[in-house]
């Protein structure tokens, strides 16, 4: 069922912040790297500005790129509410397009967003565009889910309980679930549905589904991509707090630098 027909009818853009209110462990990481590298910053796949607004609040100019104009409208509403709209530039476009800013200190791609590029050629294009936009010494930083692809394949069709959160806007309790409908072990491509049940304060319930097709990267894929794009791997960690990357880590977090010519 297309997501807009399922349950509550809240669009991905309007539902984004509430549906991700429980995902905040990375915010200090992005703020610290923006402060270390300096602006301008480009936030690729910025969605509703979860990271953009936080970085702009620290005084940096941020170019927020997203293919979804409604996400960008929500992002600008949030930037205005926080009084940072003069430093935020919302750009409708793809992360495979030339970036809208030059001499960037940081190109950030938070929350697994590179996984949305299903065509391998697009992955290289995205890194090349970031390399073009960075100033020497600048960095492209992104996090990706660890694939755990065999386990993921075994879980295909199972409803996974991924926790709960509260919508700060109206007090709804959000119960989060996920289901992998397709898992291609050879390519790492998967079809994933996020299932969110809202329990309203009066006890009534509505539900919404968010369907995604994703590429789950193995850590081995990144160094050759970086090299082809002209970026140097500075580090890879197993989380946002410099955890070592171990096989059972939840994510891999990459820093790629543009070296002086
Ligand atoms: C997982 S959300 C991003 C979350 C956001 N980075 C954050 O940290 O809150 C993915 C976003 O990528 C956008 N998107 C999908 N394909 C894209 C593309 N090719 N270029 C830019 N944005 C894209 C979607 O519209 C969506 O807003």
């Amino acid at each position: 069922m297309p997501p807009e027909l399922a349950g509550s009818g809240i669009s991905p853009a309007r539902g984004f912040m509430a549906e991700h209110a429980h995902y905040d462990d990375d915010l200090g990481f992005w703020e610290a790297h923006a402060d270390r590298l300096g602006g301008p910053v480009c936030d690729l796949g910025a969605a509703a500005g979860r990271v953009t607004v936080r970085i702009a609040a620290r005084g940096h100019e941020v170019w927020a790129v997203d293919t979804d104009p409604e996400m960008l409208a929500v992002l600008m509403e949030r930037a205005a509410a926080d009084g940072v709209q003069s430093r935020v530039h919302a750009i409708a476009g793809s992360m495979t397009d030339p970036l809208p800013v030059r001499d960037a200190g940081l190109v950030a791609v938070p929350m697994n967003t590179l996984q949305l590029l299903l065509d391998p050629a697009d992955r290289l294009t995205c890194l090349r565009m970031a390399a073009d936009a960075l100033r020497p010494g600048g960095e492209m930083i992104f996090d990706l889910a660890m694939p755990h692809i065999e386990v993921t394949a075994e879980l295909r069709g199972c409803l996974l309980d991924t926790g709960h959160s509260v919508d700060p806007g109206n007090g709804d309790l959000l119960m989060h679930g996920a289901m992998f409908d397709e898992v291609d072990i050879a390519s790492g491509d998967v079809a994933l549905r996020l299932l969110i049940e809202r329990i309203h304060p009066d006890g009534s319930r509505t539900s919404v589904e968010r369907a995604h097709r994703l590429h789950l990267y193995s850590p081995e894929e990144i160094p050759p991509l970086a090299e082809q794009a002209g970026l140097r791997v500075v580090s890879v960690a197993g989380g946002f707090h410099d955890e070592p990357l171990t096989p059972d880590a939840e994510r891999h977090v990459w820093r790629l630098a543009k070296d002086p010519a």
Side-chain angles (χ1 to χ4, degrees), residues 16-17 20 23 26 30 43-51 65-68 71 93-96 109-113 116-117 212:
F16 189 90
M17 289 306 296
H20 296 87
Y23 190 96
D26 63 335
W30 296 111
D43 182 3
L44 294 182
R50 196 183 60 89
V51 172
V65 175
D66 204 286
T67 44
D68 181 345
M71 283 288 187
S94 172
M95 55 188 146
T96 55
V109 201
M111 203 195 248
N112 308 327
T113 298
L116 293 167
L117 296 177
H212 301 286

Side-chain angles (χ1 to χ4, degrees), residues 27-247:
L27 291 172
F29 171 90
W30 296 111
E31 289 171 338
H33 283 293
D35 289 351
R36 179 178 62 83
L37 293 159
V41 173
C42 194
D43 182 3
L44 294 182
R50 196 183 60 89
V51 172
T52 289
V53 171
R54 293 288 286 246
I55 291 179
R58 299 184 75 84
H60 305 293
E61 292 281 321
V62 187
W63 270 256
V65 175
D66 204 286
T67 44
D68 181 345
E70 196 189 353
M71 283 288 187
L72 295 174
V74 174
L75 178 148
M76 287 310 302
E77 285 168 20
R78 297 189 59 250
D82 282 26
V84 298
Q85 71 272 33
S86 62
R87 288 193 291 281
V88 173
H89 313 276
I91 308 292
S94 172
M95 55 188 146
T96 55
D97 295 338
L99 270 55
V101 61
R102 298 283 104 185
D103 295 324
L106 169 63
V107 175
V109 201
M111 203 195 248
N112 308 327
T113 298
L114 273 184
Q115 293 176 183
L116 293 167
L117 296 177
L118 294 178
D119 181 342
D122 284 345
R123 298 171 202 151
L124 179 56
T125 301
C126 179
L127 267 63
R128 283 198 167 132
M129 293 303 160
D132 279 354
L134 286 167
R135 63 171 172 258
E139 294 184 16
M140 179 184 202
I141 306 184
F142 50 86
D143 58 285
L144 301 164
M146 277 289 267
H148 303 300
I149 196 78
E150 277 87 10
V151 177
T152 304
E154 279 172 24
L155 292 172
R156 186 177 38 209
C158 300
L159 178 58
L160 310 173
D161 176 352
T162 54
H164 63 273
S165 61
V166 174
D167 182 338
N170 59 11
D172 285 355
L173 177 63
L174 274 62
M175 309 296 292
H176 299 269
M179 189 182 287
F180 289 96
D181 292 315
E182 296 168 38
V183 178
D184 183 340
I185 292 182
S187 68
D189 292 353
V190 302
L192 171 69
R193 264 181 304 152
L194 303 179
L195 310 154
I196 301 146
E197 179 161 39
R198 280 181 173 264
I199 306 176
H200 306 289
D202 67 2
S204 63
R205 295 175 181 233
T206 51
S207 60
V208 67
E209 286 187 11
R210 309 290 184 210
H212 301 286
R213 286 197 170 269
L214 306 171
H215 173 68
L216 298 181
Y217 294 75
S218 74
E220 289 71 31
E221 286 178 77
I222 303 303
L225 262 183
E227 189 179 350
Q228 287 179 75
L231 293 168
R232 175 176 55 84
V233 174
V234 178
S235 64
V236 56
F240 297 114
H241 307 282
D242 269 339
E243 300 90 331
L245 179 61
T246 57

